[in-house]
Amino acid sequence: MLPAGRERLLLKLADLLEQHGTELARLETLNSGKLLGIAQGLEVGAGAQWLRYMAGWATKITGDTLALSLPPAAWWARSSRGTSRC
């Protein structure tokens, strides 16, 4: 799927989230015991805003990386730091 298609899907999902926001907030309230206002504001409202924000990034991220201007001695590598027990 092309990035523009992903953007359209995320924007449609945000629209649907707002369209059915009251019903989803009530379900979230029944499911988790949150106050209805918190479920509407944080779960539904902020969720729709987050989806719109991420939809914008779908056409902005190209997978390119920047060339480092640091000398090779300044690079770092991952290494383990001891062991852990579970």
Side-chain angles (χ1 to χ4, degrees), residues 15 17 28 54 56 70:
D15 291 340
L17 186 62
E28 182 62 20
M54 289 299 163
L70 302 173

Side-chain angles (χ1 to χ4, degrees), residues 11-69:
L11 289 173
K12 174 129 176 113
L13 183 58
D15 291 340
L16 288 171
L17 186 62
E18 285 182 339
Q19 183 180 353
H20 299 284
T22 303
E23 180 183 0
L24 291 168
R26 286 185 182 152
L27 289 172
E28 182 62 20
T29 298
L30 291 172
N31 183 49
S32 65
K34 292 181 182 178
L35 297 174
L36 185 59
I38 292 175
Q40 285 177 329
L42 292 179
E43 303 294 330
V44 176
Q49 289 178 354
W50 182 82
L51 284 170
R52 285 198 173 86
Y53 174 78
M54 289 299 163
W57 278 109
T59 57
K60 311 299 184 285
I61 298 175
T62 61
D64 297 334
T65 57
L66 301 174
L68 293 177
S69 61

Side-chain angles (χ1 to χ4, degrees), residues 80-86:
S80 62
R81 295 189 167 238
T83 60
S84 63
R85 296 188 316 189
C86 294

